[in-house]
């Protein structure tokens, strides 16, 4: 079969397509975006009619994928790790409903926070919801595992998390395509109550879920992805999870590792294999990219008698992305010589692009706010967050998707005046509509800026779910028509824009100001056509 050069994200997507995928759902977020985009732009997927439209947010995406699974077809839902917080409600409950057609929750974690607000580890969610996790150690496994994940999902009627990390998501390797599976036909659940979480059914389903976990442990114990490699020197045993296994191998290219290695790429943890290693070896080093999840499981809260090394005792750094050099130090191997980083690839501070429409919005907002001083502007996730930086210094918060409006409402409730929210168009569609409804219901004295650049810019120009609909949505949520103001963020409209913003600040109630101008990068694309 074909050999393809693919990113980890793309390998997972190709695996899902070859395994008979019928629908992909997701919301863009680095480093997960390329999983969905690969399916979206794939010719075979188009010919087959695989569903592949971005969803408004991760929660709706998760629910839509669950709906496809309900019909017996195979579905994938994609998101970044913080997106799983948004999808947590249906995600946790999907463990209790179980699945009908195979369901993969593909989540890309971002250790080191390259483009995220936190470093959380999705394996915690798997354990919390009693949902199995597959964690590929390389791109080929990302491809192969999707077949096994769908099969496990259908065999035990459970969703399966496929957890990637940034470095695997965004690096390429050659992939062998192995087989192609036909899509499932529509077949409704045998048990008509399976997806009805009335308390009486939910209690039964939860009992089954707990029992299922024993089977999942057995699956892990016998998984081809969890492998014990023996070694001569038992003074140390290495438990290497996911990409961490690749890093162990990278540090032993010249000679075999002398220590036993337990490779773990499927969870729940394979108990017998771990006991074998703990009994055979004097010390255990746990190599995992992300949080010390396995290390915490092994230590327990009170039992510190095991001689365990890892992220918690400082053998490996507690925070930040794992890499082969950090592992080399932990293994007490001689460090590889390092090279000077050339000027051209050195880190540069981020900034709004030259010509970005948000620049003119911030200039107008800053001028209108001059008389009130700093500390009044709550912002959101996306390009406009860059308005925090000089020369704008225009915003005072950035917490999670949608929090700009809710925080502005809370601050207004506390008596802060003026209280301003700044959110992007796509983020408004993702999580901004419900807090705007709160603002209307509580008659909060807020001005909400919805910066409409007609695209999801920061994650790579995906379509925004609300393009062309923002005024109607605001009207529908109860904002008064005369306080929905569209402005053109251009220098020659500056004075007019400042005057409009001041008028809305002076209005005691909910105002929406929509600065509307496309991101300059889509303007370029439009011109190229
Ligand atoms: S990508 Fe577009 S919206 Fe984002 S900073 Fe650049 S011009 Fe502005």
């Amino acid at each position: 079969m074909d050999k393809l050069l693919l990113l980890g994200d793309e390998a997972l997507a190709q695996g899902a397509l070859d395994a008979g995928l019928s629908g992909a759902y997701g919301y863009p977020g680095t480093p997960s975006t390329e999983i969905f985009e690969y399916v979206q732009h794939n010719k075979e997927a188009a010919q087959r009619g695989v569903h592949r439209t971005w969803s408004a947010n991760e929660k709706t995406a998760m629910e839509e994928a669950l709906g496809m699974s309900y019909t017996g077809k195979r579905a994938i839902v994609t998101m970044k790790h913080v997106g799983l917080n948004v999808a947590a409600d249906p995600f946790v409950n999907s463990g209790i409903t179980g699945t009908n057609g195979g369901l993969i929750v593909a989540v890309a974690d971002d250790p080191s926070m390259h483009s995220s607000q936190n470093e959380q580890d999705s394996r915690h969610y798997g354990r919390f919801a009693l949902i199995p996790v597959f964690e590929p150690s390389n791109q080929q496994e990302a491809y192969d595992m999707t077949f096994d994940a769908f099969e496990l999902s259908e065999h035990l009627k459970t969703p399966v998390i496929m957890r990637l990390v940034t470095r695997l998501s965004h690096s390429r390797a050659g992939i062998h395509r192995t087989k192609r599976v036909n899509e499932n036909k529509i077949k409704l659940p045998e048990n008509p109550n399976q997806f009805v979480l009335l308390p009486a059914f939910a209690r039964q389903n939860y009992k089954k879920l707990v029992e299922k976990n024993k089977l999942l442990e057995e699956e892990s114990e016998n998984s081809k992805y969890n492998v014990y490699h023996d070694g001569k020197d038992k003074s140390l045993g290495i438990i290497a999870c996911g990409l961490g296994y690749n890093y162990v191998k990278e540090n032993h290219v010249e000679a075999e590792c002398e220590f036993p290695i337990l490779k773990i790429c499927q969870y729940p943890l394979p108990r017998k294999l771990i006991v074998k290693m703990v009994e055979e070896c004097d010390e255990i080093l746990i190599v995992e990219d992300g949080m010390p999840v396995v290390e915490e499981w092994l230590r327990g809260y009170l039992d510190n008698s095991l001689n365990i090394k890892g992220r918690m005792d400082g053998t490996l750094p507690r925070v930040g992305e794992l890499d082969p050099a950090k592992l080399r130090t932990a293994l007490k191997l001689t460090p590889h010589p390092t090279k000077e980083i050339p000027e051209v690839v050195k880190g540069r501070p981020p900034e709004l692009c030259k010509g970005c429409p948000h620049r003119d919005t911030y200039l107008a907002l800053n001028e209108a706010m001059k008389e009130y001083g700093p500390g009044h502007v709550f912002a959101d996730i996306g390009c406009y967050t860059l308005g925090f930086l000089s020369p704008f210094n225009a915003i005072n918060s950035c917490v999670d998707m949608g929090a700009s409006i809710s925080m502005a409402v809370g601050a207004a409730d506390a008596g802060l005046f003026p209280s301003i929210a700044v959110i992007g168009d796509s983020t408004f569609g993702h999580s901004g509509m419900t807090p705007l409804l709160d603002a209307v219901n509580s008659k909060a004295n807020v001005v909400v800026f919805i910066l409409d650049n007609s695209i999801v810019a920061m994650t790579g120009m995906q379509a925004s779910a609300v393009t062309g609909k923002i005024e109607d949505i605001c009207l529908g949520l109860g904002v008064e028509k005369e306080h929905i103001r569209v402005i053109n963020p251009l220098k020659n409209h500056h004075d007019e824009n400042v005057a409009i913003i001041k008028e809305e600040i002076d209005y005691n109630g909910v105002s929406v100001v929509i600065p509307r101008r496309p991101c300059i990068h889509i303007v370029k694309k439009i011109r190229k056509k």
Side-chain angles (χ1 to χ4, degrees):
M1 297 225 22
D2 327 342
K3 191 165 187 197
L4 302 167
L5 184 65
L6 298 178
L7 298 175
D9 276 353
E10 295 170 341
L12 196 163
Q14 184 65 58
L17 283 168
D18 288 348
L21 184 75
S22 295
Y25 301 86
Y27 186 79
T30 311
S32 72
T33 309
E34 291 84 352
I35 307 172
F36 190 96
E37 285 188 333
Y38 189 85
V39 179
Q40 193 180 29
H41 301 306
N42 187 277
K43 275 192 196 143
E44 278 181 41
Q47 279 159 6
R48 267 168 40 190
V50 173
H51 175 91
R52 50 199 204 292
T53 311
W54 286 111
S55 303
N57 65 37
E58 295 84 355
K59 179 177 184 290
T60 60
M62 179 74 217
E63 290 156 349
E64 287 149 7
L66 190 63
M68 180 154 285
S69 162
Y70 172 92
T71 69
K73 295 200 167 209
R74 292 186 165 183
I76 190 168
V77 51
T78 74
M79 61 195 78
K80 66 182 293 177
H81 59 324
V82 290
L84 192 49
N85 299 336
V86 179
D89 196 358
F91 168 75
V92 173
N93 288 351
S94 71
I96 300 178
T97 60
T99 58
N100 189 26
L103 175 57
I104 291 179
V105 184
V107 193
D109 289 356
D110 186 18
S112 266
M113 297 178 256
H114 294 285
S115 54
S116 310
Q117 304 85 51
N118 74 35
E119 229 184 45
Q120 71 188 53
D121 192 314
S122 300
R123 291 175 298 169
H124 277 307
Y125 265 111
R127 192 181 186 209
F128 175 59
L130 300 179
I131 287 173
V133 179
F134 280 58
E135 191 189 10
S137 65
N138 58 41
Q139 287 78 357
Q140 184 68 52
E141 271 190 353
Y143 175 83
D144 295 336
M145 274 180 176
T146 55
F147 292 87
D148 296 303
F150 274 132
E151 270 160 35
L152 182 69
S153 175
E154 286 174 1
H155 172 51
L156 290 181
K157 295 207 171 305
T158 175
V160 177
I161 294 183
M162 288 275 292
R163 179 206 186 221
L164 300 179
V165 287
T166 306
R167 205 56 50 180
L168 181 56
S169 289
H170 285 175
S171 55
R172 282 183 196 279
I175 303 301
H176 287 282
R177 288 174 78 182
T178 47
K179 55 181 174 179
R180 285 174 210 165
V181 176
N182 289 334
E183 288 181 41
N184 293 344
K185 299 224 166 12
I186 287 192
K187 182 174 172 284
L188 297 185
E190 281 165 18
N191 171 7
N193 304 334
Q194 184 190 336
F195 288 82
V196 185
L197 292 187
L198 281 168
F201 301 142
R203 277 193 285 271
Q204 286 171 9
N205 284 10
Y206 185 61
K207 201 160 162 263
K208 281 188 205 150
L209 175 64
V210 172
E211 282 159 10
K212 201 185 288 176
N213 220 251
K214 288 184 204 130
L215 301 176
L216 291 172
E217 263 192 34
E218 263 175 54
E219 290 280 343
S220 282
E221 214 68 69
N222 300 315
S223 166
K224 63 183 179 213
Y225 300 115
N226 293 339
V227 187
Y228 194 98
H229 301 277
D230 210 354
K232 283 182 263 145
D233 185 347
K234 306 278 196 268
S235 62
L236 183 73
I238 302 173
I239 295 180
C241 309
L243 188 61
Y245 176 72
N246 221 351
Y247 291 162
V248 174
K249 301 292 281 179
E250 242 180 82
N251 274 298
H252 295 91
V253 277
E254 292 98 16
E256 277 290 298
C257 180
E258 63 273 38
F259 307 117
I261 305 168
L262 173 55
K263 169 180 181 272
I264 293 183
C265 294
Q266 184 173 338
Y267 306 77
L269 285 176
R271 195 178 291 259
K272 288 184 203 142
L273 288 174
I274 287 177
V275 169
K276 175 178 158 72
M277 172 156 278
V278 168
E279 283 178 355
E280 281 185 1
C281 300
D282 302 338
E283 284 183 345
I284 305 291
L285 173 67
I286 298 170
V287 182
E288 49 192 333
D289 197 6
M291 295 172 117
V293 174
V294 171
E295 201 175 333
E296 277 180 3
W297 280 341
L298 260 60
R299 281 179 195 278
Y301 287 104
L302 299 173
D303 182 6
N304 285 312
S305 58
L306 294 176
N307 207 347
I308 291 173
K309 295 182 171 301
R311 285 184 170 245
M312 291 174 77
D313 75 336
T315 306
L316 287 162
R318 170 64 185 81
V319 294
E321 192 178 18
L322 185 69
D323 64 36
K326 289 174 188 162
L327 178 60
R328 214 171 163 77
T329 310
L331 289 169
K332 301 191 176 75
L333 297 170
T334 320
H336 286 308
T338 52
K339 290 187 181 147
E340 275 279 298
I341 299 173
E343 203 55 42
V344 70
V345 291
K346 269 192 181 156
R348 292 172 297 271
E351 62 169 357
L352 288 167
C353 307
K354 306 277 179 265
C356 171
H358 302 340
R359 287 178 169 260
D360 293 300
T361 300
Y362 280 129
L363 291 174
L365 176 61
N366 277 355
E367 188 166 331
M369 291 291 292
K370 240 185 215 160
E371 59 187 290
Y372 303 105
H376 294 260
V377 183
F378 301 90
D380 222 292
I381 312 296
C383 289
Y384 34 84
T385 310
L386 301 169
F388 171 77
L389 304 167
S390 289
F392 305 101
N393 309 114
I395 66 166
N396 306 104
S397 76
C398 168
V399 176
D400 64 50
M401 300 283 271
S404 56
I405 303 180
S406 347
M407 287 180 72
V409 169
D413 290 346
L416 185 75
F417 176 79
S419 189
I420 311 281
V422 176
I423 190 167
D425 53 332
S426 176
T427 315
F428 176 65
H430 178 286
S431 294
M433 295 191 272
T434 38
L436 185 60
L437 182 61
D438 280 351
V440 169
N441 286 343
S442 64
K443 299 184 172 49
N445 189 9
V446 291
V447 182
V448 176
F449 279 71
I450 304 174
L451 276 58
D452 182 9
N453 57 9
S454 312
I455 205 83
V456 193
M458 192 171 247
T459 46
M461 310 300 152
Q462 294 81 23
S464 158
V466 297
T467 298
K469 307 181 183 84
I470 295 176
E471 289 94 310
D472 287 344
I473 292 170
C474 295
L475 267 177
L477 291 172
V479 182
E480 289 170 23
K481 193 170 184 186
E482 56 274 27
H483 294 289
I484 300 173
R485 311 288 297 270
V486 179
I487 63 174
N488 188 350
L490 273 173
K491 286 216 168 21
N492 53 1
H493 289 267
H494 179 79
D495 293 343
E496 182 192 332
N497 291 345
V498 173
I500 291 173
I501 296 168
K502 283 186 168 175
E503 276 170 36
E504 294 311 322
I505 288 173
D506 290 342
Y507 168 65
N508 186 357
V510 180
S511 302
V512 172
V513 177
I514 307 169
R516 176 166 291 141
R517 182 152 72 86
C519 160
I520 52 163
H521 299 289
I522 59 163
V523 172
K524 276 187 209 159
K525 272 190 192 166
I526 293 165
R527 276 193 199 135
K528 268 187 202 163
K529 278 184 186 172

